mmCIF file of all heavy atoms in Angstrom:
data_model
loop_
_atom_site.group_PDB
_atom_site.id
_atom_site.type_symbol
_atom_site.label_atom_id
_atom_site.label_comp_id
_atom_site.label_asym_id
_atom_site.label_seq_id
_atom_site.Cartn_x
_atom_site.Cartn_y
_atom_site.Cartn_z
ATOM 1 N N LYS A 65 -27.671 15.143 -9.753
ATOM 2 C CA LYS A 65 -27.616 13.687 -9.888
ATOM 3 C C LYS A 65 -26.633 13.259 -10.980
ATOM 4 O O LYS A 65 -26.761 13.694 -12.132
ATOM 5 C CB LYS A 65 -29.006 13.130 -10.238
ATOM 6 C CG LYS A 65 -30.062 13.300 -9.168
ATOM 7 C CD LYS A 65 -29.675 12.687 -7.826
ATOM 8 C CE LYS A 65 -29.386 11.199 -7.882
ATOM 9 N NZ LYS A 65 -28.846 10.722 -6.565
ATOM 10 N N PRO A 66 -25.693 12.380 -10.632
ATOM 11 C CA PRO A 66 -24.764 11.870 -11.644
ATOM 12 C C PRO A 66 -25.428 10.725 -12.414
ATOM 13 O O PRO A 66 -25.359 9.574 -11.989
ATOM 14 C CB PRO A 66 -23.591 11.362 -10.793
ATOM 15 C CG PRO A 66 -24.226 10.975 -9.483
ATOM 16 C CD PRO A 66 -25.469 11.782 -9.313
ATOM 17 N N ARG A 67 -26.083 10.984 -13.498
ATOM 18 C CA ARG A 67 -26.806 9.937 -14.226
ATOM 19 C C ARG A 67 -25.985 9.411 -15.393
ATOM 20 O O ARG A 67 -25.282 10.189 -16.069
ATOM 21 C CB ARG A 67 -28.141 10.491 -14.744
ATOM 22 C CG ARG A 67 -29.041 11.098 -13.674
ATOM 23 C CD ARG A 67 -29.324 10.150 -12.514
ATOM 24 N NE ARG A 67 -29.960 8.922 -12.904
ATOM 25 C CZ ARG A 67 -31.260 8.784 -13.166
ATOM 26 N NH1 ARG A 67 -32.060 9.827 -13.052
ATOM 27 N NH2 ARG A 67 -31.765 7.620 -13.513
ATOM 28 N N SER A 68 -26.096 8.099 -15.647
ATOM 29 C CA SER A 68 -25.327 7.508 -16.744
ATOM 30 C C SER A 68 -25.725 8.129 -18.076
ATOM 31 O O SER A 68 -24.895 8.308 -18.962
ATOM 32 C CB SER A 68 -25.573 5.996 -16.795
ATOM 33 O OG SER A 68 -25.150 5.430 -15.583
ATOM 34 N N SER A 69 -27.009 8.438 -18.233
ATOM 35 C CA SER A 69 -27.459 9.056 -19.487
ATOM 36 C C SER A 69 -27.748 10.545 -19.272
ATOM 37 O O SER A 69 -28.397 10.917 -18.294
ATOM 38 C CB SER A 69 -28.731 8.368 -19.972
ATOM 39 O OG SER A 69 -29.364 9.175 -20.949
ATOM 40 N N PRO A 70 -27.324 11.362 -20.216
ATOM 41 C CA PRO A 70 -27.617 12.805 -20.080
ATOM 42 C C PRO A 70 -29.093 13.118 -20.271
ATOM 43 O O PRO A 70 -29.536 14.231 -20.020
ATOM 44 C CB PRO A 70 -26.767 13.441 -21.195
ATOM 45 C CG PRO A 70 -26.583 12.363 -22.201
ATOM 46 C CD PRO A 70 -26.552 11.068 -21.432
ATOM 47 N N SER A 72 -31.497 11.362 -18.712
ATOM 48 C CA SER A 72 -32.229 11.009 -17.488
ATOM 49 C C SER A 72 -32.348 12.248 -16.593
ATOM 50 O O SER A 72 -31.588 13.206 -16.753
ATOM 51 C CB SER A 72 -31.476 9.926 -16.720
ATOM 52 O OG SER A 72 -31.289 8.791 -17.524
ATOM 53 N N PHE A 73 -33.264 12.167 -15.639
ATOM 54 C CA PHE A 73 -33.486 13.249 -14.667
ATOM 55 C C PHE A 73 -32.166 13.626 -13.992
ATOM 56 O O PHE A 73 -31.492 12.779 -13.420
ATOM 57 C CB PHE A 73 -34.512 12.764 -13.636
ATOM 58 C CG PHE A 73 -34.767 13.715 -12.507
ATOM 59 C CD1 PHE A 73 -35.289 14.982 -12.741
ATOM 60 C CD2 PHE A 73 -34.509 13.350 -11.188
ATOM 61 C CE1 PHE A 73 -35.536 15.866 -11.695
ATOM 62 C CE2 PHE A 73 -34.755 14.208 -10.130
ATOM 63 C CZ PHE A 73 -35.266 15.479 -10.393
ATOM 64 N N GLN A 74 -31.833 14.890 -14.047
ATOM 65 C CA GLN A 74 -30.521 15.351 -13.561
ATOM 66 C C GLN A 74 -30.564 15.986 -12.170
ATOM 67 O O GLN A 74 -29.549 16.436 -11.663
ATOM 68 C CB GLN A 74 -29.949 16.379 -14.556
ATOM 69 C CG GLN A 74 -29.809 15.862 -15.980
ATOM 70 C CD GLN A 74 -28.633 14.915 -16.163
ATOM 71 O OE1 GLN A 74 -27.516 15.235 -15.780
ATOM 72 N NE2 GLN A 74 -28.891 13.755 -16.715
ATOM 73 N N GLY A 75 -31.762 16.073 -11.587
ATOM 74 C CA GLY A 75 -31.888 16.735 -10.285
ATOM 75 C C GLY A 75 -32.357 18.165 -10.453
ATOM 76 O O GLY A 75 -32.216 18.751 -11.529
ATOM 77 N N MET A 100 -21.065 17.659 -7.375
ATOM 78 C CA MET A 100 -20.443 16.999 -8.531
ATOM 79 C C MET A 100 -19.372 17.842 -9.205
ATOM 80 O O MET A 100 -18.561 17.333 -9.971
ATOM 81 C CB MET A 100 -21.514 16.675 -9.583
ATOM 82 C CG MET A 100 -22.354 15.475 -9.247
ATOM 83 S SD MET A 100 -23.761 15.280 -10.379
ATOM 84 C CE MET A 100 -23.046 15.500 -11.961
ATOM 85 N N ARG A 120 -18.690 8.140 -8.902
ATOM 86 C CA ARG A 120 -18.142 8.489 -10.214
ATOM 87 C C ARG A 120 -17.119 9.607 -10.124
ATOM 88 O O ARG A 120 -16.382 9.860 -11.070
ATOM 89 C CB ARG A 120 -19.273 8.852 -11.178
ATOM 90 C CG ARG A 120 -20.084 7.633 -11.570
ATOM 91 C CD ARG A 120 -21.512 7.974 -11.956
ATOM 92 N NE ARG A 120 -22.315 6.748 -12.003
ATOM 93 C CZ ARG A 120 -22.867 6.173 -10.930
ATOM 94 N NH1 ARG A 120 -22.696 6.698 -9.728
ATOM 95 N NH2 ARG A 120 -23.557 5.064 -11.034
ATOM 96 N N LEU A 241 -38.313 9.144 -9.510
ATOM 97 C CA LEU A 241 -37.722 9.549 -10.792
ATOM 98 C C LEU A 241 -36.385 8.859 -11.042
ATOM 99 O O LEU A 241 -35.861 8.911 -12.149
ATOM 100 C CB LEU A 241 -37.545 11.072 -10.833
ATOM 101 C CG LEU A 241 -38.840 11.897 -10.788
ATOM 102 C CD1 LEU A 241 -38.536 13.397 -10.828
ATOM 103 C CD2 LEU A 241 -39.778 11.518 -11.935
ATOM 104 N N CYS A 242 -35.811 8.250 -9.998
ATOM 105 C CA CYS A 242 -34.608 7.446 -10.213
ATOM 106 C C CYS A 242 -34.482 6.397 -9.098
ATOM 107 O O CYS A 242 -35.044 6.578 -8.025
ATOM 108 C CB CYS A 242 -33.344 8.300 -10.307
ATOM 109 S SG CYS A 242 -33.175 9.543 -9.051
ATOM 110 N N ASP A 243 -33.766 5.344 -9.409
ATOM 111 C CA ASP A 243 -33.508 4.261 -8.440
ATOM 112 C C ASP A 243 -34.777 3.739 -7.759
ATOM 113 O O ASP A 243 -34.794 3.456 -6.551
ATOM 114 C CB ASP A 243 -32.489 4.734 -7.385
ATOM 115 C CG ASP A 243 -31.081 4.865 -7.971
ATOM 116 O OD1 ASP A 243 -30.883 4.473 -9.146
ATOM 117 O OD2 ASP A 243 -30.184 5.346 -7.262
#
Side-chain angles (χ1 to χ4, degrees):
K65 295 303 301 173
R67 305 306 301 281
S68 299
S69 164
S72 302
F73 175 62
Q74 303 285 309
M100 283 171 47
R120 289 153 194 83
L241 296 180
C242 47
D243 289 353

